[in-house]
Amino acid sequence: MRKVHNKVRETIFAVLDVFYPLFKRWMPLQTYHYAACGGSNTLFNIFLYHMFYNYVLHKQVLHVWLLAFKPHVAAFIMAFFITFPIGFYLSMYVVFQGSYLRRRIQLVRYFLVAMACVGLNYVLLKFFIETLGWHQHPTLSLMATAVIVVLFSYFSQRFFSFRAAKRDGESVLETSVLERQVNF
């Protein structure tokens, strides 16, 4: 199984590293990998949400035993169940390599950060639209929210979910990223 993980990681790096020189001036390699992997997974989530909402649920309420889920909530949950493990895999094997934490601890922490991001998204959208009165600019509200949530997520994942051991004042995670940057 380790060979499969290594092959997948090498393939992802080969694709991502082709475009890194375009972004090298603005961001370090690890940040670029986080943005590329997270951005791709987010786009996949949006695609799945659209497909579930429109073509699986047909914009109808989903009844599960005694519960009834509005279609936008059900589509969100369905897409989350697919993109959550993909995001965790990409974070663990591609972006934040070298963490000393056990995988199950990383998974629990990753889930906690993901739930915090969901809550932060909700609170910030309500704040921008309802408190600041950005009713006329919901897309601007979503963009401002996305910037804050992405920053929160990156630092939470880096320093909480996938914390790396320190070695001479520098984390092992930073060292592995620096070693990969030598190629550029």
Side-chain angles (χ1 to χ4, degrees):
M1 193 61 144
R2 172 110 18 229
K3 287 182 182 181
V4 172
H5 292 305
N6 289 336
K7 186 64 177 166
V8 168
R9 183 174 53 217
E10 288 172 15
T11 303
I12 292 170
F13 281 142
V15 171
L16 292 180
D17 290 350
V18 167
F19 300 102
Y20 180 62
L22 300 172
F23 300 94
K24 186 177 181 180
R25 183 182 322 167
W26 297 290
M27 64 181 78
L29 186 61
Q30 184 184 43
T31 305
Y32 167 73
H33 285 158
Y34 179 81
C37 290
S40 298
N41 199 38
T42 299
L43 290 175
F44 185 52
N45 187 290
I46 292 168
F47 170 77
L48 288 174
Y49 176 88
H50 174 79
M51 298 305 286
F52 286 135
Y53 183 80
N54 290 298
Y55 301 108
V56 174
L57 298 170
H58 301 287
K59 302 177 186 176
Q60 302 296 315
V61 173
L62 175 66
H63 298 278
V64 180
W65 296 297
L66 299 175
L67 301 172
F69 295 95
K70 292 183 179 181
H72 63 280
V73 174
F76 171 79
I77 292 168
M78 293 164 77
F80 180 81
F81 277 126
I82 294 170
T83 57
F84 174 81
I86 293 170
F88 177 71
Y89 181 86
L90 291 172
S91 291
M92 184 173 63
Y93 284 106
V94 177
V95 180
F96 301 110
Q97 303 168 47
S99 176
Y100 67 88
L101 298 172
R102 295 175 156 255
R103 285 191 185 123
R104 69 175 172 257
I105 301 299
Q106 290 175 347
L107 178 61
V108 168
R109 289 180 176 197
Y110 184 85
F111 179 76
L112 291 173
V113 171
M115 290 298 98
C117 288
V118 168
L120 191 57
N121 255 310
Y122 176 78
V123 168
L124 288 173
L125 277 174
K126 286 187 72 65
F127 172 74
F128 286 125
I129 292 172
E130 295 176 12
T131 305
L132 296 182
W134 291 8
H135 298 94
Q136 308 304 327
H137 309 288
T139 303
L140 183 61
S141 299
L142 183 63
M143 289 167 49
T145 297
V147 168
I148 294 168
V149 170
V150 164
L151 289 171
F152 169 78
S153 175
Y154 174 74
F155 289 110
S156 298
Q157 299 301 3
R158 181 173 180 192
F159 296 112
F160 178 65
S161 301
F162 301 101
R163 184 181 315 158
K166 295 278 186 183
R167 181 172 67 188
D168 297 331
E170 177 179 42
S171 75
V172 172
L173 193 61
E174 291 168 353
T175 303
S176 65
V177 168
L178 290 173
E179 289 168 357
R180 286 193 37 78
Q181 282 181 327
V182 169
N183 297 331
F184 294 102

